């Protein structure tokens, strides 16, 4: 082993180390940390900031405007590249660091890798307390960065330069482990960032982290095949793990061989192309009628790469067959064991390929195939009706906005959304044409995700048309990365839908007896009610002021023309449309548990409680 060393600061060593890390799967190599997002302050400017200048030749730097948004961009980048590459995010100590928490939670909940590098207090306590330091009366080693512990899959505070040698390697292991990945935090005390150390040259050598595809256990595989053969009405629930494993073709081969239909979660939509005869669309509270009808009568539910959120299970009320059992194929044992399932703990592609071989010659009955194909044909008519605009001169509804976009996007375009009423409409109605076209962040459903996520996806897929669908509520949460898109010359497309309030929560509020209180953007009357005309807020002008080209559309025809022009543009472009609030999306096909006031003097709440008690009675505990 070489005894050669290189004298660098801790921050310089970290940047050089990150630039030499790679992933490899199926013989294809990717750079693990493709770049670093940052906002520099006193907690990182002289350490990581100086290191990024010193080593700009090996580490691209991207200047952000909001720390949470930078994490969103990095996470979206990782998702677009199937978790084989991500980006790092550096912030100063104090509010810059705590602003990372939401993004870190989003990453970990969605099982997506991101590396967080917040500044921290002086390890020596020489300057104590320093500006923005949280003082704890009994624990001197606590800082605001400890808020990142519960939302990180790995956390360390690097209090000496040489501690980085072990910690950096552990961080890379977690980032590249498909069963463990999420947010990884290395908190970096300011003085340690600037300290020099004689680093072994081996630390900077190219290092390849092979992303494993664990095969199924033979006994679990045999049990799984037996369970599928015994089922009369099996149903696959495809989750995000299908995409992360790049298992779409393996899923298609399995479905083509067995005839088992596929319903998808928000993260799994696009696992089958929308026009495949076995694709039933979304499942659960925002699912299609055909998916949810089959889910209620399925005797075997085969979960592939799903964590079974309450939207997927309709809060435990969806799977109602008296003898229903579950078979979960998941790389994470934690998720595989949910719902008292038989388990197949393995990579999604490896597991589906093995199951296809094990079930050679087995197929569902022709009657079952005919049943679900008829159901999907009926649902396609629902989609057409929701998209159809008989009057091109009319103000479009929200579903007609989706119909206009559907007519413009290419097969490889990416459509991004996360929160509001749009996720439900998209899950029911969107016709996903390729594995990465449908990019819904619904594990955390974070308002403000869409615009920065579009930046991360655009960086990961240059030359691809990337669309961020944003309602007025989520736009107001986080529009600042428009400036970054302009600065970085990223030609993202923003579809800004103005309906003057929190439409999704407004509908939910009405259904649970809260009477749409505080969900519209209106003037406030002295009695606390919100009345009158919409607020005189011009979001299109705001987007233009941040540097975007803005196309205003008032009618269906103008909307189609604007979307076409936006797709052809090589600049960040916003299509602004004010929608007709008339509901045109199909209603929910399954329940979602939002507890209702048990007692109330108001009729709306009392009626909602009666409906709630009726619905919750259908909940099952699958044991």
């Amino acid at each position: 082993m070489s005894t050669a060393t290189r004298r660098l600061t801790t921050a310089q060593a970290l940047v050089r180390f990150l630039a030499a890390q790679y992933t490899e799967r199926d013989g294809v190599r990717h750079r693990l940390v493709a770049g670093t997002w940052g906002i520099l302050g006193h907690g990182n400017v002289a350490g990581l900031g100086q290191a990024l200048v010193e080593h700009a030749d090996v580490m691209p730097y991207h200047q952000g405007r909001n720390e949470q948004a930078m994490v969103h961009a990095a996470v979206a980048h990782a998702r677009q590249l199937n978790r084989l590459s991500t980006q790092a995010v550096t912030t100063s100590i104090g509010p810059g660091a705590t602003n990372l928490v939401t993004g870190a939670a989003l990453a970990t909940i969605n099982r997506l890798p991101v590396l967080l590098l917040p500044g921290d207090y002086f390890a020596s306590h020489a300057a104590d307390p320093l500006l923005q330091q949280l003082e704890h009366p009994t624990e001197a080693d606590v800082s605001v960065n400890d808020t990142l512990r519960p939302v990180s899959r790995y956390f360390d505070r690097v209090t000496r330069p040489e501690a980085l040698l072990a910690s950096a390697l552990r961080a890379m292991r977690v980032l590249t482990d498909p069963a463990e990945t999420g947010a990884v935090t290395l908190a970096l005390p300011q003085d340690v960032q600037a300290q020099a150390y004689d680093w072994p040259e081996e630390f900077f050598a190219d290092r390849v982290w092979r992303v494993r595809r664990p095969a199924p256990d033979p006994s679990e595989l045999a049990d799984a095949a037996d369970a599928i053969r015994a089922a009369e009405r099996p149903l696959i629930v495809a989750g995000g793990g299908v995409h992360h494993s790049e298992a779409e073709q393996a899923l298609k081969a399995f479905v083509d061989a067995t005839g088992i239909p596929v319903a998808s979660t928000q993260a799994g939509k696009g696992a089958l192309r929308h026009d495949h005869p076995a694709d039933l669309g979304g499942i659960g509270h925002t699912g299609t009628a055909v998916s949810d009808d089959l889910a209620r009568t399925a005797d075997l539910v085969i979960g592939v790469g799903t964590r079974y959120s309450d939207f997927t299970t309709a809060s435990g009320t969806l799977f109602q067959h008296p003898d229903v059992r579950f078979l979960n194929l998941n790389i994470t044992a934690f998720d595989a064991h949910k719902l008292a399932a038989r388990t197949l703990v393995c990579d999604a592609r490896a597991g589906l390929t093995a199951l296809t071989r094990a079930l050679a010659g087995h197929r569902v009955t022709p009657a079952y195939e005919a049943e679900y194909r008829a159901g999907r044909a009926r649902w396609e008519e629902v989609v057409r009706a929701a998209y159809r605009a008989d009057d091109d001169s009319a103000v479009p509804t929200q579903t007609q906005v989706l119909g206009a976009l559907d007519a413009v996007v290419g097969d490889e375009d990416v459509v991004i959304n996360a929160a509001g009423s749009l996720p439900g409409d998209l899950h029911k109605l969107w016709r996903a044409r390729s594995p990465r076209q449908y990019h819904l962040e619904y594990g955390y459903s974070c308002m403000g995700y869409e615009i920065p996520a579009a930046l991360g996806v655009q960086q990961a897929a240059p030359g691809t048309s990337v669309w961020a669908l944003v309602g007025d509520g989520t736009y107001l949460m986080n529009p600042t990365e428009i400036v970054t898109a302009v600065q970085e010359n990223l030609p993202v497309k923003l579809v800004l839908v103005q309906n003057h309030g929190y439409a999704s929560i407004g509908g939910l509020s009405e259904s649970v007896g809260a009477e749409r209180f505080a969900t519209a953007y209106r003037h406030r009357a002295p009695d606390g009610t919100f009345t009158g005309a919409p607020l005189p807020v011009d979001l299109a002008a705001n987007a233009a002021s941040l540097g975007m080209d803005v196309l205003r559309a008032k009618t269906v025809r103008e909307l189609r023309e604007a979307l076409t022009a936006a797709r052809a543009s090589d600049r960040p472009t916003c299509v602004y449309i004010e929608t007709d609030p008339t509901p045109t999306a199909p209603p929910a096909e399954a329940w979602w548990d939002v507890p209702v006031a048990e007692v109330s003097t108001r009729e709306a709440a009392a009626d909602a409680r009666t409906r709630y008690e009726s619905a919750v009675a259908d909940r099952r505990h699958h044991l």
Side-chain angles (χ1 to χ4, degrees):
M1 180 178 293
S2 171
T3 58
T5 61
R6 192 186 312 188
R7 192 161 182 80
L8 299 170
T9 68
T10 303
Q12 291 165 0
L14 178 57
V15 171
R16 297 297 306 191
F17 170 82
L18 293 177
Q21 306 305 301
Y22 297 87
T23 60
E24 185 177 286
R25 187 169 66 183
D26 304 329
V28 180
R29 186 171 295 190
H30 302 262
R31 181 163 170 169
L32 174 55
V33 180
T36 298
W37 287 93
I39 296 175
L40 301 180
H42 73 95
N44 63 347
V45 65
L48 272 170
Q50 190 280 329
L52 289 164
V53 172
E54 184 111 352
H55 301 292
D57 58 324
V58 296
M59 180 59 67
Y61 174 75
H62 310 293
Q63 183 184 55
R65 268 74 198 170
N66 174 281
E67 293 86 357
Q68 177 181 316
M70 294 191 298
V71 185
H72 292 339
V75 167
H77 182 279
R79 177 172 171 172
Q80 180 68 22
L81 296 176
N82 300 315
R83 306 194 298 191
L84 297 171
S85 178
T86 186
Q87 295 168 316
V89 179
T90 180
T91 70
S92 183
I93 188 173
T98 51
N99 281 349
L100 296 173
V101 174
T102 295
L106 181 149
T108 296
I109 285 170
N110 285 286
R111 280 55 163 180
L112 293 167
V114 64
L115 177 61
L116 308 180
L117 305 172
D120 215 322
Y121 57 62
F122 280 51
S124 66
H125 293 282
D128 194 29
L130 70 156
L131 177 65
Q132 299 180 318
Q133 180 178 344
L134 172 73
E135 293 185 272
H136 196 288
T138 60
E139 297 179 65
D141 63 341
V142 168
S143 81
V144 295
N145 287 331
D146 288 275
T147 60
L148 289 160
R149 287 182 184 271
V151 293
S152 296
R153 294 294 290 174
Y154 178 78
F155 179 98
D156 193 17
R157 179 174 286 112
V158 183
T159 56
R160 294 177 60 89
E162 60 267 37
L164 181 65
L165 292 168
S167 188
L169 291 170
R170 293 186 187 120
M172 299 304 104
R173 178 195 67 79
V174 175
L175 285 174
T176 58
D177 188 331
E180 294 293 329
T181 196
V184 168
T185 300
L186 296 180
L188 302 171
Q190 296 177 56
D191 51 348
V192 176
Q193 289 182 49
Q195 287 171 1
Y197 182 75
D198 293 324
W199 303 89
E201 281 291 346
E202 288 84 359
F203 188 57
F204 307 115
D206 286 0
R207 191 179 302 266
V208 178
W209 301 83
R210 287 189 170 81
V211 179
R212 63 183 65 93
R213 288 194 183 278
D217 176 82
S219 60
E220 283 195 337
L221 178 62
D223 287 347
D226 287 344
I228 294 172
R229 289 191 194 95
E232 295 181 359
R233 301 181 62 81
L235 174 67
I236 295 168
V237 175
V242 177
H243 294 306
H244 299 328
S245 177
E246 299 176 278
E248 296 91 356
Q249 287 304 311
L251 176 64
K252 181 178 182 298
F254 178 75
V255 171
D256 288 344
T258 63
I260 300 174
V262 176
S264 54
T265 69
Q266 286 279 18
K269 195 172 170 78
L272 280 185
R273 189 180 154 95
H274 77 93
D275 52 5
H276 189 285
D279 180 64
L280 308 183
I283 190 171
H285 177 64
T286 53
T288 68
V290 58
S291 285
D292 288 349
D293 286 347
L294 259 68
R296 293 184 183 95
T297 61
D299 57 356
L300 179 68
V301 178
I302 306 167
V304 183
T306 178
R307 64 189 188 93
Y308 287 111
S309 77
D310 62 340
F311 258 59
T312 299
T313 67
S315 300
T317 65
L318 186 58
F319 306 110
Q320 288 296 325
H321 190 288
D323 299 316
V324 65
R325 303 304 294 174
F326 296 82
L327 167 65
N328 291 337
L329 192 168
N330 204 297
I331 201 166
T332 305
F334 175 80
D335 290 317
H337 281 275
K338 289 177 177 176
L339 301 175
R342 279 189 173 92
T343 61
L344 200 57
V345 181
C346 60
D347 170 75
R349 182 194 288 184
L352 288 166
T353 300
L355 271 175
T356 303
R357 293 195 196 103
L359 290 166
H362 175 77
R363 192 171 183 87
V364 299
T365 65
Y368 186 48
E369 284 193 76
E371 177 187 345
Y372 70 67
R373 290 189 182 200
R376 71 182 304 280
R378 289 192 297 272
W379 187 257
E380 181 58 27
E381 289 303 315
V382 173
V383 174
R384 290 194 187 101
Y387 281 3
R388 185 169 53 244
D390 295 325
D391 182 1
D392 278 1
S393 64
V395 174
T397 64
Q398 183 162 282
T399 60
Q400 289 168 347
V401 171
L402 298 184
L405 185 62
D406 176 77
V408 169
V409 299
D411 284 9
E412 300 304 319
D413 288 15
V414 179
V415 176
I416 300 173
N417 188 241
S421 57
L422 276 164
D425 292 356
L426 285 160
H427 199 207
K428 293 187 189 85
L429 302 174
W430 189 259
R431 299 158 164 161
R433 306 176 200 172
S434 60
R436 278 290 169 220
Q437 184 177 80
Y438 188 88
H439 183 125
L440 262 283
E441 189 290 296
Y442 216 60
Y444 210 42
S445 188
C446 186
M447 295 178 73
Y449 172 82
E450 294 91 341
I451 296 173
L455 274 58
V457 172
Q458 192 75 79
Q459 289 175 327
T464 299
S465 291
V466 180
W467 302 83
L469 307 190
V470 182
D472 48 72
T474 196
Y475 179 88
L476 287 167
M477 288 273 183
N478 202 0
T480 54
E481 298 317 305
I482 288 174
V483 177
T484 307
V486 174
Q487 181 180 32
E488 297 267 338
N489 298 310
L490 297 171
V492 295
K493 327 299 181 189
L494 172 61
V495 181
L496 178 50
V497 180
Q498 171 67 280
N499 53 27
H500 300 289
Y502 300 119
S504 173
I505 296 303
L508 177 63
S509 172
E510 187 171 44
S511 73
V512 298
E515 303 175 50
R516 292 186 176 265
F517 175 73
T519 60
Y521 298 155
R522 308 279 176 169
H523 289 284
R524 186 164 187 160
D527 65 357
T529 60
F530 295 85
T531 60
L535 298 178
V537 176
D538 190 339
L539 300 184
N542 178 259
S545 76
L546 297 177
M548 263 196 154
D549 292 344
V550 175
L551 305 172
R552 294 176 184 258
K554 294 182 179 180
T555 67
V556 173
R557 182 185 304 106
E558 291 176 2
L559 175 61
R560 289 182 186 138
E561 293 169 352
L563 292 172
T564 301
R567 190 171 189 274
S569 176
D570 61 359
R571 279 196 28 85
T573 303
C574 170
V575 175
Y576 175 85
I577 183 70
E578 198 158 345
T579 55
D580 178 345
T582 304
T584 51
E589 298 290 337
W591 186 61
W592 182 41
D593 190 349
V594 178
V596 176
E598 195 165 359
V599 295
S600 175
T601 59
R602 299 184 70 85
E603 184 179 354
D607 290 346
R609 182 67 193 188
T610 299
R611 295 192 299 272
Y612 177 84
E613 290 174 354
S614 174
V616 79
D618 290 332
R619 175 176 286 140
R620 293 181 61 181
H621 296 284
H622 300 284
L623 302 171

